[in-house]
Amino acid sequence: MSPAEPKPRKYSYYVEARALEVTDRPRRFLETFAAVLEHSNYAVALDAYARVCSKCGRCADRCQLYETTGEERDVPGGRGDLLLRVYRRYFTIGGRLKARLVGGFTLTDEYLDRMAEEYYRCVACRRCKEVCPMGIDQGLITHLARWLLAEVGVTPKALVLAVREQLQGVGNTSAIPVAALKNTCEFLEEELQDIYGVTIQFPFDVEGAEHVFFPAVSDYLLEPDTLMANAAVMHVSGGSWTIGTGNYDGINYGLFYSDRMMERIVGRLVAEVRRLKARKILIGECGHATRSAWFAPTFCGPDAPEVVNFLQYTARALREGKIPLKGKVIEERVTYHDPCNIARAGRITEEPREILRAICRDFVEMTPNRTHNLCCGGGSGLVSVDEIRPFRTRKMGKMKADQIRATGARIVAAPCANCKKQLREVCEDNGLADVQVVGVHDLLLRAIDFGVEPKAEEKVESSSQAMA
Amino acid sequence: MDLWLEWARGPLFRIAIAFLILGLVRHVAIAVFEIAWAVRRAGDKNIPYRKLARATLAWLVPAGKLGHRPLYGLTTLAFHVSIVIVPLFLGGHIALWARATDLAWPAIPNLLADVLTVIATAAAVLLVIERIAARGPQMLSRFSDYAFPLLIAVVFGSGFLAMHPALSPVAFRPALLVHALGANLILIFIPFSKLSHVILMPLTHLISEVAWHFPPHAGSEVGLALGKENEPV
Ligand code: SF4
Ligand code: SF4
């Protein structure tokens, strides 16, 4: 939307050129809808939602987008109704009868274009669900609508490219070849040696390890401190883990636009764990990667490997006294951002706090927090869509920026690759340039007592730049 | 007039109740069947029933859930409490039941019924005003979202007047007729409208969870059905 854009876009985001050539979209959309209703469990929700939404509008009070824009199209219940209207008209007896008798709504190309815009304005944070007396999950509706749209070609190009690279290209979303991965890990080992004076190895393809490690693969490019800390935690706690060279990417953009892709990507995690005869999927600091991995039993049956998020592993090791600490060495004020994908349903909220409280002198909460926390503003994959940055940071992210500002914190710990990228941009674009956004483990690394004299303590904070 | 009144309180009432009960039973049966079917074919059958029950209960007894707009929340609460209690526990209504079915149960004191009736009427009108005044709800509202609370206000208002002929500007019979016709209309509407939440709401939180529990291979099955199984990304 900014004047500097190279070429006009049909939607706020770029789609692939071939997407614009898809013909007969309403028919295809309905065909897909029918197939999805048959093979998934969405029908049970749509059936109920289409009946019970009382139009009370409470959801509007909870949507950070609507609160910022005040635009009619951003009222959650109204957006949800875009899809429910199609459902009612084409997939309920009453709707079909009504159409035959009195006509009315027909699905058109224009209507699909409207859905394409609206369902990429919702970040599927599911905050509105908490205040909906009927428990209507707008995140689910957005998730489903995006899948249906994807089957008629409408998906932000950035998401499709990443998934293509992962499933058909190099094998991961950042196109990092195994050689480069190993190089990076060697570099990180050297850094650990140089800075902390410890010899820690990143293990590869260890058969029979307990955990196979899947961070957001972008961490290998952007988050050296998080990775070094992950390795350090495993080292001091005596954990059994390995990186698999068959698949080392936890990212799953299928969660954001297609269950078809999500299933394939989850399947690849499980396959790698089985190849290595390992037992658990260990996800790095990443919210959506964790939530999509939790779908392993859904897609791969009850004997799918257990899923552990690194925060859970570390908090447990800490509780068991397996991580020696130098004390509360983080002096600056620190606050914590709850990623929607692990916190909204209350699954991971306390572990990161346990870790942070153990190492921070001045830890403060954002309000609201935990299950009620605001989304970073880049949820549901929007963070990867660079062309909508003004929307992400100034509209979706505005309340987040205000929330961070109110804490007065210098450091925001956010255990999620997507949240980190988005929060950095939110801070930049909202006058919070002096706020640092880091992973929880990054801070922990500074506090671990390796029992040796660090060789160059002053270099601790500069390893990120060294790597960049 | 008497004939109409008899009709509204007799045959029409019976028809309305039949519609209501059959409609609601159908809703519950379908919902329960769909939930069971969804769980049966889900890959991950691990469903946090306790947590969901707690969430549902929290909404059934929604103290502390008044939300962002306390006035709106309070009005809704007062509205729901009174429109559930009065129709079921007013002495006159129980007599009506007893006449039709021989079933009877204890009534609430008439004074309490009066107070609740006034609350219900006022709350229904307030709800409409708040719906117009608050931007979010206003933008979502359709004709029926205003019509239902107004109809409810008319039913409760006329019921009150019928109970207190001395206070009433209209005669007893017309008031009672409006009351009975309106009430029957609402009963019939319940299963066909958003008012079906009276029976479905306790299930919706569970439904929202179950819908995320896809059958294994739900994605690839859809790919197969669309002939896209070999299509590159
Ligand atoms: S809060 Fe729920 S019931 Fe109320 S309008 Fe929003 S989606 Fe509908
Ligand atoms: S899921 Fe989040 S972004 Fe989407 S409508 Fe609800 S509150 Fe708004």
Side-chain angles (χ1 to χ4, degrees):
Chain A
M1 274 172 215
S2 81
E5 288 307 337
K7 56 182 174 215
R9 315 193 276 262
K10 182 169 178 189
Y11 307 110
S12 331
Y13 45 88
Y14 289 110
V15 292
E16 292 197 286
R18 65 172 191 186
L20 301 173
E21 284 151 22
V22 179
T23 53
D24 209 7
R25 292 193 305 168
R27 185 187 56 76
R28 287 172 200 269
F29 185 90
L30 293 172
E31 240 175 56
T32 310
F33 207 161
V36 168
L37 291 176
E38 188 184 337
H39 296 287
S40 71
N41 278 339
Y42 292 116
V44 54
L46 298 187
D47 232 19
Y49 295 172
R51 288 204 176 96
V52 299
C53 172
S54 62
K55 312 288 170 191
C56 65
R58 293 179 70 117
C59 46
D61 291 340
R62 257 307 179 87
C63 176
Q64 67 196 69
L65 178 61
Y66 173 72
E67 275 192 59
T68 304
T69 66
E71 285 181 43
E72 176 160 1
R73 61 171 170 171
D74 292 327
V75 178
R79 179 188 296 107
D81 214 43
L82 283 178
L83 185 68
L84 292 177
R85 195 180 303 163
V86 180
Y87 176 76
R88 264 190 231 109
R89 159 65 183 83
Y90 293 96
F91 300 100
T92 64
I93 300 170
R96 278 199 226 120
L97 208 65
K98 191 173 151 208
R100 186 154 296 180
L101 296 177
V102 296
F105 173 71
T106 312
L107 182 64
T108 59
D109 261 314
E110 293 69 45
Y111 193 86
L112 285 175
D113 286 338
R114 191 169 150 212
M115 290 189 11
E117 257 336 300
E118 306 316 327
Y119 287 115
Y120 280 95
R121 284 174 78 83
C122 163
V123 287
C125 68
R126 306 201 288 162
R127 230 169 89 81
C128 51
K129 177 172 182 281
E130 302 205 307
V131 292
C132 173
M134 309 297 159
I136 294 179
D137 187 344
Q138 301 295 343
L140 178 136
I141 299 181
T142 294
H143 174 92
L144 171 59
R146 288 182 179 191
W147 182 17
L148 302 176
L149 287 166
E151 301 295 354
V152 296
V154 184
T155 308
K157 192 173 172 180
L159 300 181
V160 183
L161 293 184
V163 169
R164 185 174 299 147
E165 197 57 61
Q166 190 174 27
L167 293 176
Q168 283 158 214
V170 172
N172 60 79
T173 47
S174 296
I176 303 175
V178 175
L181 171 78
K182 288 192 165 168
N183 257 331
T184 301
C185 291
E186 269 166 36
F187 168 79
L188 295 176
E189 287 166 2
E190 283 162 24
E191 286 284 288
L192 281 163
Q193 184 64 256
D194 288 352
I195 303 169
Y196 300 95
V198 280
T199 310
I200 296 176
Q201 290 216 321
F202 284 81
F204 282 95
D205 289 333
V206 179
E207 272 200 19
E210 183 179 357
H211 303 92
V212 182
F213 180 50
F214 302 96
V217 79
S218 52
D219 281 5
Y220 289 110
L221 301 173
L222 303 168
E223 308 291 345
D225 291 321
T226 314
L227 293 169
M228 287 194 288
N230 292 153
V233 165
M234 280 300 177
H235 174 77
V236 294
S237 68
S240 154
W241 71 308
T242 184
I243 298 169
T245 52
N247 180 14
Y248 38 91
D249 187 4
I251 287 179
N252 190 337
Y253 287 171
L255 179 67
F256 304 144
Y257 80 88
S258 163
D259 287 0
R260 256 188 339 119
M261 301 304 142
M262 177 157 78
E263 178 187 322
R264 289 172 66 184
I265 299 166
V266 169
R268 290 181 79 240
L269 297 181
V270 174
E272 182 67 351
V273 172
R274 295 204 168 130
R275 179 182 77 86
L276 292 165
K277 302 188 178 59
R279 293 215 311 277
K280 295 176 185 165
I281 296 172
L282 177 63
I283 303 286
E285 285 199 10
C286 188
H288 95 279
T290 308
R291 173 140 176 254
S292 34
W294 280 333
F295 279 94
T298 293
F299 291 126
C300 306
D303 39 68
E306 187 188 327
V307 175
V308 183
N309 174 291
F310 223 115
L311 295 166
Q312 296 172 311
Y313 178 89
T314 300
R316 183 164 170 191
L318 200 59
R319 249 175 269 143
E320 290 170 354
K322 290 182 182 164
I323 304 180
L325 295 178
K326 288 183 270 186
K328 302 193 175 199
V329 302
I330 312 293
E331 307 273 351
E332 305 99 311
R333 175 171 290 186
V334 175
T335 187
Y336 177 71
H337 163 76
D338 285 280
C340 302
N341 281 315
I342 55 174
R344 185 74 61 224
R347 289 184 73 159
I348 301 181
T349 54
E350 302 316 308
E351 293 88 339
R353 290 177 166 84
E354 278 174 48
I355 301 169
L356 290 171
R357 288 218 183 83
I359 59 173
C360 299
R361 230 180 263 285
D362 186 10
F363 174 72
V364 290
E365 290 283 2
M366 298 189 194
T367 0
N369 55 55
R370 296 181 168 83
T371 54
H372 305 306
N373 197 25
L374 292 167
C375 172
C376 62
S380 72
L382 294 195
V383 62
S384 306
V385 186
D386 280 324
E387 59 271 24
I388 58 167
R389 175 162 170 168
F391 167 76
R392 275 194 282 119
T393 59
R394 302 236 165 75
K395 292 191 173 149
M396 205 46 112
K398 182 184 168 293
M399 286 178 71
K400 191 80 224 178
D402 295 343
Q403 198 190 19
I404 294 173
R405 190 175 292 116
T407 63
R410 285 276 134 276
I411 298 177
V412 179
C416 172
N418 289 342
C419 298
K420 275 189 276 198
K421 174 174 187 283
Q422 162 75 6
L423 289 175
R424 283 170 190 147
E425 294 176 358
V426 163
C427 289
E428 254 173 53
D429 295 357
N430 289 281
L432 289 168
D434 52 340
V435 172
Q436 233 191 316
V437 180
V438 300
V440 172
H441 281 85
D442 307 31
L443 298 176
L444 179 66
L445 183 60
R446 298 195 215 160
I448 296 180
D449 184 1
F450 292 106
V452 287
E453 274 305 300
K455 290 191 184 160
E457 186 108 57
E458 66 283 357
K459 276 173 72 183
V460 167
E461 280 176 51
S462 63
S463 57
S464 319
Q465 289 118 3
M467 186 138 153
Chain B
M1 175 88 61
D2 278 346
L3 225 61
W4 279 100
L5 207 53
E6 257 325 295
W7 179 71
R9 293 202 295 180
L12 183 60
F13 177 60
R14 258 176 251 130
I15 293 173
I17 288 289
F19 258 97
L20 174 73
I21 293 178
L22 289 177
L24 294 187
V25 166
R26 178 174 169 272
H27 280 325
V28 175
I30 292 181
V32 168
F33 174 80
E34 285 186 343
I35 293 170
W37 174 71
V39 172
R40 186 150 23 94
R41 56 185 213 158
D44 179 6
K45 295 190 171 48
N46 210 337
I47 290 163
Y49 291 106
R50 262 162 196 281
K51 205 175 117 196
L52 293 167
R54 245 180 282 133
T56 307
L57 272 178
W59 279 111
L60 286 173
V61 194
K65 286 251 182 194
L66 298 180
H68 244 52
R69 301 175 194 275
L71 182 64
Y72 190 33
L74 264 177
T75 319
T76 326
L77 188 61
F79 174 75
H80 281 95
V81 168
S82 44
I83 66 167
V84 168
I85 293 182
V86 178
L88 289 176
F89 295 103
L90 180 77
H93 291 157
I94 298 173
L96 205 62
W97 275 107
R99 215 174 59 160
T101 62
D102 279 341
L103 287 175
W105 52 89
I108 50 168
N110 275 348
L111 183 63
L112 177 61
D114 281 348
V115 172
L116 289 176
T117 304
V118 172
I119 290 178
T121 316
V125 174
L126 249 181
L127 274 183
V128 173
I129 295 172
E130 283 164 3
R131 199 175 261 286
I132 298 170
R135 258 174 69 78
Q138 186 245 314
M139 290 188 292
L140 286 175
S141 299
R142 307 149 300 186
F143 170 74
S144 62
D145 297 309
Y146 300 109
F148 282 134
L150 286 178
L151 182 59
I152 290 173
V154 167
V155 170
F156 277 80
S158 56
F160 184 81
L161 294 182
M163 290 283 282
H164 301 276
L167 298 174
S168 174
V170 283
F172 170 72
R173 275 151 215 278
L176 195 60
L177 184 62
V178 168
H179 174 72
L181 287 176
N184 283 321
L185 203 59
I186 294 174
L187 293 180
I188 293 173
F189 268 133
I190 288 178
F192 296 106
S193 65
K194 69 168 186 179
L195 302 184
S196 56
H197 74 252
V198 302
I199 199 82
L200 287 175
M201 183 268 151
L203 293 172
T204 51
H205 292 260
L206 173 60
I207 285 173
S208 282
E209 173 70 27
V210 167
W212 282 110
H213 290 247
F214 321 133
H217 317 302
S220 37
E221 295 280 354
V222 170
L224 217 60
L226 299 175
K228 289 184 175 181
E229 65 277 25
N230 296 318
E231 195 179 85
V233 175

